[in-house]
Amino acid sequence: MRTRLALLAGAVMLASCTEGVAPYAPVHAPPAQGPVAPTDVLPPREGSEARPPPAPVEEPEVPPPPVVPRGSATVVDLGEGRRGLLSVAQVDVDLTVSGVRGRHTVSVEFVPPSGLPYERRSAEVDSRVDESRTVRFSLPVAGTAVATSGMSGTWQARFFLDGAPLTAASFTLDP
């Protein structure tokens, strides 16, 4: 029995002997060339076509915030003591527009104290978004229905950009 046991132990030792064989096979990695596409790793199966790798997902470009047009109106000084219907030749109102790009139409509507529109005028502005443009509008007074009809009181100058309300200014004409 001892002999058999010795023979069995010898056979096991010989089977586990690795003399002349390296304990681990050397790993020869290919030179680094970036990530490997999935279709390059496994060959296609018989009867199937290799699929291209999915396209990379790109972040959508965020558009710039919309530009908001702004306007401010200033009544040009009528002169010291010149507010009466008979002493004012005309009323000038300056409109400064910013935040617009390209060609646009600006309009003014002169509204007397009665509240009904009296006169409307328009002008074209052409600018870049980072520029501001000033347009002067005039309301003739001397020799017009404003003076002869006695339209004294507080007037409104309402401004529009392409038909949309933009800003307003007021001025007073004394009797």
Side-chain angles (χ1 to χ4, degrees):
M1 175 102 174
R2 275 188 175 199
T3 314
R4 281 188 190 178
L5 194 54
L7 270 171
L8 188 56
V12 169
M13 288 183 80
L14 282 175
S16 64
C17 181
T18 58
E19 188 175 321
V21 178
Y24 300 104
V27 176
H28 297 288
Q33 297 176 2
V36 178
T39 55
D40 293 343
V41 174
L42 299 173
R45 288 190 242 165
E46 256 184 65
S48 69
E49 295 181 22
R51 286 183 259 162
V57 177
E58 291 186 22
E59 298 276 332
E61 190 172 313
V62 178
V67 179
V68 179
R70 294 176 308 280
S72 63
T74 307
V75 177
V76 178
D77 186 18
L78 300 175
E80 191 63 37
R82 302 182 100 202
R83 294 200 179 271
L85 290 173
L86 299 176
S87 62
V88 175
Q90 67 185 30
V91 176
D92 295 325
V93 184
D94 288 346
L95 171 68
T96 303
V97 180
S98 59
V100 294
R101 181 181 312 147
R103 184 174 295 253
H104 296 274
T105 302
V106 291
S107 306
V108 64
E109 186 175 71
F110 289 105
V111 182
S114 67
L116 299 172
Y118 173 75
E119 186 172 281
R120 188 174 185 113
R121 297 178 181 258
S122 298
E124 295 283 323
V125 292
D126 191 7
S127 88
R128 296 190 321 226
V129 74
D130 57 345
E131 295 177 330
S132 62
R133 297 282 189 213
T134 301
V135 181
R136 178 168 285 183
F137 292 98
S138 298
L139 172 69
V141 176
T144 67
V146 174
T148 59
S149 298
M151 295 182 177
S152 61
T154 302
W155 285 65
Q156 286 274 320
R158 298 178 187 155
F159 293 94
F160 302 88
L161 177 68
D162 296 329
L166 186 62
T167 190
S170 61
F171 57 92
T172 302
L173 292 174
D174 294 332

